[in-house]
Amino acid sequence: MPEILEIETYRRLAELAVGRTIAGVSAPDAWFLKGGIDAGAVIDAFTGTTIETTRRRGKLLMLDTSGPVLGLRFGMTGRLLVDGEAAIDSLEYSSDRNDPAWDRFGLDFVGGGGLVLRDPRRLGGVEINPDDEALGPDAWSIGAAGLRDVLAGSKAPLKARLMDQKRLAGLGNLLTDEILWRSALDPVRPANEVDATEVKRLHRTMRRVLDQLDERGGSHQGDLQDQRSRDGVCPRDGAPLERRKVGGRTTYSCPQHQL
DNA sequence: ATTGTGGCCTGCCCGC
DNA sequence: TGCGGGCAGGCCACAA
């Protein structure tokens, strides 16, 4: 599914749109428009504007234009296409089919080409001037001290805290399981009981996982991924993995070494 | 205030 | 062979 790595890949693709002027806006799916806007509003807001920069905060992709900011969210099955080219061919938990009927939002550029958000399950969305400040600091750039602050004073399960986008923006279910597995930390540990040494280890691991899985090609390329199934075993020590719901999400962890 | 839960959306897979 | 139930999780509304 799209997590911070995939959204960053989308952002790099969206760089192709910088400097181009929007000739037309296609918003066929009212459900996909968030923040109380309708198709007319989004068409009026962006038609004739020029895309100036791309930004990302966590899983939120923003296109700054000469008018308002266009905010794009991808849910768990959303993909981005620019000039007909997809940034990512195949997405975990999404369909491998590539059906234009799933196009929920699109921009046409002056001189040809365009940008399309294709989302089978319609869990993504489009927003005008999204409130990115409501999100926590970006997981890819936060420092160790920042991560300590994210965890401090919370009795919530460690995993739930890491996935709370208002506290820390970008991590989804697969990345979080991989990071905690490599960090040897139990996902259900109360966040405020992770000590200073462990926070440093967690931070170091998070950075390494993001850099490494970005190079490998996505959130689903973690070392734990192949064993994220009911009969999975820990790739490190061979113990049967534990399968639980943590923070409302299916969680795999090793009872042997994640403490 | 914080933390937890249920529902939304839809394609796919499994078992009958 | 077709059908139905369960599952996936990012996000939000709502409850405690």
Side-chain angles (χ1 to χ4, degrees):
Chain A
M1 75 224 61
E3 302 185 31
I4 188 170
L5 300 179
E6 284 74 21
I7 309 304
E8 177 61 16
T9 303
Y10 296 165
R11 192 198 62 75
R12 292 168 187 150
L13 178 68
E15 284 285 310
L16 290 174
V18 169
R20 295 161 81 176
T21 298
I22 296 166
V25 177
S26 162
D29 186 351
W31 161 264
F32 217 70
L33 304 176
K34 309 298 180 183
I37 57 172
D38 59 15
V42 75
I43 290 167
D44 288 349
F46 294 107
T47 302
T49 67
T50 298
I51 296 175
E52 295 177 338
T53 50
T54 67
R55 284 184 293 140
R56 181 191 57 74
R57 181 157 178 166
K59 303 173 198 170
L60 172 66
L61 177 61
M62 289 164 285
L63 304 183
D64 297 312
T65 75
S66 54
V69 180
L70 175 62
L72 303 175
R73 297 181 185 276
F74 295 87
M76 81 181 266
T77 57
R79 295 200 282 166
L80 187 72
L81 295 85
V82 176
D83 299 340
E85 186 178 345
I88 296 174
D89 290 333
S90 172
L91 209 53
E92 201 79 3
Y93 299 122
S94 188
S95 173
D96 283 340
R97 275 169 54 212
N98 215 355
D99 192 335
W102 297 330
D103 291 359
R104 310 300 181 190
F105 182 79
L107 304 175
D108 292 316
F109 299 131
V110 172
L115 176 151
V116 167
L117 206 170
R118 185 169 288 173
D119 183 4
R121 294 185 204 177
R122 303 167 79 206
L123 286 165
V126 170
E127 215 174 335
I128 301 174
N129 292 324
D131 181 15
D132 59 316
E133 292 297 323
L135 294 167
D138 188 76
W140 216 335
S141 52
I142 194 172
L147 185 61
R148 183 196 60 213
D149 293 343
V150 167
L151 302 181
S154 169
K155 293 187 286 188
L158 174 57
K159 175 172 175 178
R161 193 73 171 182
L162 292 173
M163 289 182 59
D164 183 345
Q165 303 297 306
K166 295 188 299 298
R167 310 284 179 177
L168 179 67
L171 299 185
N173 201 35
L174 300 182
L175 282 175
T176 309
D177 272 7
E178 175 78 13
I179 290 165
L180 290 173
W181 175 76
R182 288 203 202 186
S183 301
L185 292 170
D186 188 335
V188 303
R189 281 264 295 276
N192 61 358
E193 290 178 19
V194 179
D195 70 31
T197 307
E198 291 169 326
V199 171
K200 282 183 189 164
R201 190 169 81 220
L202 178 61
H203 178 257
R204 223 173 23 243
T205 306
M206 180 171 73
R207 292 293 284 267
R208 172 147 182 77
V209 165
L210 292 175
D211 289 339
Q212 193 177 66
L213 269 53
D214 180 42
E215 283 178 21
R216 290 185 191 173
S219 304
H220 58 292
Q221 299 287 354
D223 294 339
L224 182 65
Q225 183 64 29
D226 286 349
Q227 298 300 319
R228 287 185 92 265
S229 65
R230 278 188 169 77
D231 49 359
V233 297
C234 176
R236 181 182 293 189
D237 53 39
L241 291 178
E242 197 168 355
R243 182 183 191 271
R244 292 174 288 184
K245 286 273 185 207
V246 181
R249 298 290 159 242
T250 304
T251 299
Y252 289 90
S253 63
C254 175
Q256 187 93 9
H257 84 267
Q258 288 181 255
L259 306 172

